[in-house]
Amino acid sequence: MNQLFPLAPRYRLDDENPWLKGIDPSRHYWVQVNGDQQLTAILPGLMVSSATEFKQMILAWRSLQPGQQMTIERAAGSCIIYCISENCYAIEDQNEPVKVWHLFDQETVESLLMTSHPDWKCSTKDVELGRELLARSLQLPAKA
C-alpha cells in the first residue's frame, strides 16, 4: 500500500514566515494563520498534571498511525489531533463556526506537545497572551 504524502502546506518550525505568536501559561497555542498577524487562531494544547501522564500522552501521540486521532481533553473543551500521514498532522480548531484543520509537520506537533511538561514555563512575553485570553473569556456571554 502506498503511503499518502499530502502536498498541502503545513506549519513547520523552520518556516520563513513566523506563524507561532506564542504559547500562553495555560498551554494554548497562538497561531497566526498562514503567517497573517491579523488572523490568530487560539488552539487548546495538551496539559498534564504529572511527569508520568506527560510521558503516557507523548507515547500515545508518537504511536498514532495514519487515519488515527488523539483527543486532548481540557476543562473548557477539547482538541483533536489527527494523524494524516507519517509527517502530516492536523489540529482541529473548534473555536470557529466551521471546524478548521491546521496542518503541522511531526517535529512541530512534538515541540508544541513538549510544552505540556509540568516543569515547562512560558516566556514572559507570552504571559500577556494568557491575560488576553482571560479578557476575551470575560467578554463572552454566560451560558445558562
Side-chain angles (χ1 to χ4, degrees), residues 115-126:
T115 65
S116 67
H117 191 279
D119 294 336
W120 179 83
K121 304 281 186 233
C122 75
S123 70
T124 52
K125 73 173 184 64
D126 291 346

Side-chain angles (χ1 to χ4, degrees), residues 11 18-24 28-43 93 95-96 100 102 129 132-133 136:
Y11 298 106
W19 55 268
L20 184 62
K21 185 174 181 178
I23 302 171
D24 68 31
H28 286 85
Y29 313 136
W30 293 62
V31 176
Q32 294 174 342
V33 180
N34 298 324
D36 183 350
Q37 295 179 357
Q38 304 303 315
L39 186 57
T40 302
I42 304 169
L43 306 173
D93 186 353
N95 297 320
E96 299 298 322
V100 175
H102 300 279
L129 295 175
E132 184 180 331
L133 184 62
R136 286 183 185 192

Side-chain angles (χ1 to χ4, degrees), residues 9-20 35 103 105 108:
R10 60 197 90 166
Y11 298 106
R12 298 172 310 141
L13 293 176
D14 60 352
D15 276 345
E16 292 177 18
N17 296 326
W19 55 268
L20 184 62
L103 300 179
D105 69 1
T108 303

Side-chain angles (χ1 to χ4, degrees), residues 22-92:
I23 302 171
D24 68 31
S26 63
R27 296 355 191 243
H28 286 85
Y29 313 136
W30 293 62
V31 176
Q32 294 174 342
V33 180
N34 298 324
D36 183 350
Q37 295 179 357
Q38 304 303 315
L39 186 57
T40 302
I42 304 169
L43 306 173
L46 178 61
M47 240 178 136
V48 297
S49 57
S50 68
T52 303
E53 184 183 3
F54 169 77
K55 184 177 179 180
Q56 290 172 344
M57 294 301 288
I58 295 297
L59 291 175
W61 174 77
R62 286 180 180 166
S63 70
L64 288 178
Q65 297 298 311
Q68 293 180 327
Q69 65 190 43
M70 177 175 139
T71 302
I72 296 173
E73 295 294 335
R74 299 280 305 241
S78 63
C79 173
I80 301 173
I81 299 175
Y82 297 89
C83 179
I84 308 298
S85 69
E86 184 177 319
N87 193 27
C88 185
Y89 294 83
I91 297 180
E92 186 176 88

